Structure formats: C-alpha cells, structure tokens
Amino acid sequence: MQVTTVKESLLKLKPVKSTSPWALARRKFLRNKLAMASLLFLILVAILSFLAPYLTTQDIARINIGEMSLSPSGEHWLGTDKSGRDVFTRLLYGGRISLIVGISCTLLVILIGTVIGASAGYFGGIIDSMLMRFTDFVLTFPFTVFVIVLNAVFFGKLNGLLVLILVISFLSWGSVARIVRSKILAEKENEYIMAAISIGCSPFKVIVKHLLPNVLSTIIVQGTILFATMIVVESGLSYLGFGVPAEIPSWGNMLSSANEPDVLQSKPWIWIPPALAITFTILAINFVGEGLKDALNPRSRR
C-alpha cells in the first residue's frame, strides 16, 4: 500500500522547468535600476529626436538676422544661435542625426567585425592569418587623415552623411573582429561543434546556428560600447568640421560654435545644450552596457 502511494505521488509531480539563460539575464537586467533608468532616458531622447517635426515648427536652416544670439525666452526655450536659428529645434534634429550615425555605424561595424572574426576563428590556417593581417592594417590606419581626405574628395559629389557613416564603419571593425575571433576559437573546441561537423553540417550552418548564438552576449555588450563610441566620433569630427555637413544639424555641429571666445564665455545657451545632450547620452549608453554586461555574465547570475 505504501509503495503504491509513493508511486502515485511521483506521478503527480510536475517536471520543473529550467529557466533559460536569456530569461535569467533579462530578469537581472530589469532589476538594475540604474541601467533601466538609463534605457528609459535613451528611449525618451530617441522619441523626442525622431518626432522633432511634430514637436516644433521652427526652421532649422533659415537664418534670421533679427534674432541672432537671443537668450532663452518663451518663444525660444533655449535661445537662438549666432545665425538666429532656434537652439531647441536644432537640438532635437541634431539628436536624430547623431543617433542615426551612431546606430548605423554600430550595426555596420558589428556586421563586418562578426563576419571577419567568425570566419578567421572557424577556418583558421591561412584564412585566419590573411584576415588578421588585414585587421591589423585597418587598426593601424590613420583614421582622422582618411576621413579628412574622403570628405575633401567626395564633398558635393555624394551624400556627405552616407560617406561619413561608411568611412567610420569600415575603419572601426578591427577590435570587434579580434574579440569575435577569440570567442569562436574557444567555442569551436567544444564537443557539440565537433559533432555538428562530423555529421556533415556546412561551415555556414555551424557558424550561424551553433557558434554565433553562444557568443551573442559578447557581441551585444560590445555593440553598446561601440554605440557610445560612434556618437563621440561623429561629434568630434563634426566639431572639427570634417563630419556631418554644416547644413545638417548635429550635436557636434552645434558644439562648433564654442570655438569662438565670445560664445564660450557670454552665450552658454548656444553650446551647453548639445554638450549636455552628448554627455548624458553617452553616460546612459555606458550604464546600459554595464547592466547588460553584468546580466549576461554567467558567473554573476543568481
């Protein structure tokens, strides 16, 4: 009788569902208050930037001599710049350009770096050597000089913003390729990879279906770091006059007004808003990246 009771009890027991690593990571990230606050801030910045045409009716390009360098007021919340253009309006439109450049460059860099790094790590041998020597060449290439030269060559011939995105992307994937390669080299020694190869899986299927999902967490964390870096790069190049064309507002272009001592000392409303926007956006991205890094770290999961 007792044996029957034990068997019935065992049959009634429901199998315990194990929580997936991604679910654990998501749960831990949601508990990170600083990372969540930073993520909400980035979402707010993106919404305000991309809804700029519906939030303001000011012209971002029209020069108004009668309203040059006006201090903040009810009509112009953040004042006007030295050309009479509304600073708040240009801040919103500039955020859209800076975010587009940052996101586009990050996606291209991750794509190129992942393809080259995964190929080098999986195939090894002469393919690995050739790809890594090419990566070394890209890493040592004079980035600023190349951007300036291309800006001078293609100015007025092609879309300046597109050229900037392509140049930044094709000169910034080296570090990603090295990181992905090192992760692939370690991962491909596992038994399940050898089993997939032994049953005849193609290299493309092994890389895409088996290897990349296991290094995806590293790629995601690297992507957040790159996103912040790309925004800084765009802002710095635009500040120097070699980035986004002057007729297109961006946070870097707006900061270029701080080159003039008069603006820097007595007209802070012209350059402080874009400076704060860049600073807080970069901090928010870094906090989100740290939150993702902590959440995706297997050793830190509880």
Side-chain angles (χ1 to χ4, degrees):
M1 185 68 179
Q2 186 178 1
V3 174
T4 304
T5 305
V6 172
K7 288 182 178 179
E8 291 176 353
S9 300
L10 291 174
L11 291 173
K12 292 179 181 179
L13 290 175
K14 295 181 179 180
V16 179
K17 294 182 179 180
S18 59
T19 307
S20 67
W22 289 104
L24 291 172
R26 182 176 66 252
R27 188 181 305 167
K28 186 167 186 180
F29 180 78
L30 292 175
R31 290 201 301 262
N32 190 325
K33 296 181 179 179
L34 182 59
M36 285 302 300
S38 300
L39 180 60
L40 292 176
F41 173 78
L42 291 176
I43 293 174
L44 178 62
V45 170
I47 291 174
L48 292 176
S49 298
F50 287 97
L51 292 181
Y54 305 98
L55 298 177
T56 177
T57 58
Q58 298 284 345
D59 192 341
I60 60 173
R62 186 174 65 89
I63 297 176
N64 192 339
I65 299 178
E67 295 184 350
M68 295 172 58
S69 302
L70 295 180
S71 58
S73 62
E75 183 179 359
H76 302 286
W77 293 354
L78 297 178
T80 61
D81 61 11
K82 57 183 181 179
S83 298
R85 298 169 295 191
D86 186 70
V87 174
F88 177 72
T89 301
R90 290 177 61 81
L91 187 69
L92 294 181
Y93 279 91
R96 181 165 60 172
I97 296 301
S98 295
L99 291 176
I100 287 175
V101 172
I103 294 173
S104 301
C105 291
T106 300
L107 292 177
L108 280 175
V109 168
I110 290 295
L111 176 62
I112 298 171
T114 300
V115 170
I116 292 180
S119 300
Y122 178 80
F123 292 105
I126 187 172
I127 295 179
D128 182 23
S129 298
M130 292 176 61
L131 290 177
M132 285 302 100
R133 298 298 74 76
F134 180 59
T135 302
D136 293 338
F137 171 76
V138 171
L139 287 172
T140 58
F141 206 85
F143 176 81
T144 305
V145 174
F146 195 61
V147 172
I148 293 174
V149 170
L150 282 184
N151 185 72
V153 171
F154 293 107
F155 183 78
K157 298 179 181 179
L158 295 175
N159 188 326
L161 188 60
L162 178 61
V163 170
L164 178 66
I165 292 173
L166 293 177
V167 171
I168 293 176
S169 301
F170 287 121
L171 293 179
S172 305
W173 53 264
S175 59
V176 177
R178 284 193 168 277
I179 292 173
V180 173
R181 172 183 175 271
S182 65
K183 293 293 182 181
I184 294 294
L185 284 173
E187 197 68 28
K188 77 173 186 178
E189 300 299 327
N190 291 328
E191 293 181 356
Y192 73 95
I193 298 297
M194 297 179 181
I197 297 174
S198 65
I199 63 175
C201 288
S202 64
F204 178 80
K205 187 175 181 180
V206 173
I207 293 174
V208 174
K209 188 176 180 180
H210 300 289
L211 286 174
L212 288 183
N214 289 283
V215 300
L216 186 60
S217 58
T218 301
I219 296 174
I220 291 174
V221 173
Q222 191 66 20
T224 58
I225 299 173
L226 278 171
F227 185 27
T229 303
M230 294 300 102
I231 292 179
V232 172
V233 169
E234 179 277 321
S235 299
L237 290 173
S238 299
Y239 173 79
L240 295 174
F242 301 107
V244 177
E247 63 272 11
I248 303 176
S250 76
W251 289 340
N253 281 343
M254 296 177 69
L255 274 179
S256 63
S257 300
N259 286 329
E260 302 178 10
D262 177 58
V263 173
L264 187 63
Q265 297 174 5
S266 60
K267 300 170 184 175
W269 63 84
I270 295 179
W271 61 271
I272 284 183
L276 291 178
I278 294 172
T279 302
F280 289 138
T281 301
I282 298 305
L283 285 175
I285 294 172
N286 286 331
F287 288 143
V288 171
E290 287 298 321
L292 288 173
K293 182 179 180 181
D294 185 46
L296 295 171
N297 184 2
R299 297 181 180 178
S300 66
R301 292 173 188 162
R302 295 180 181 177

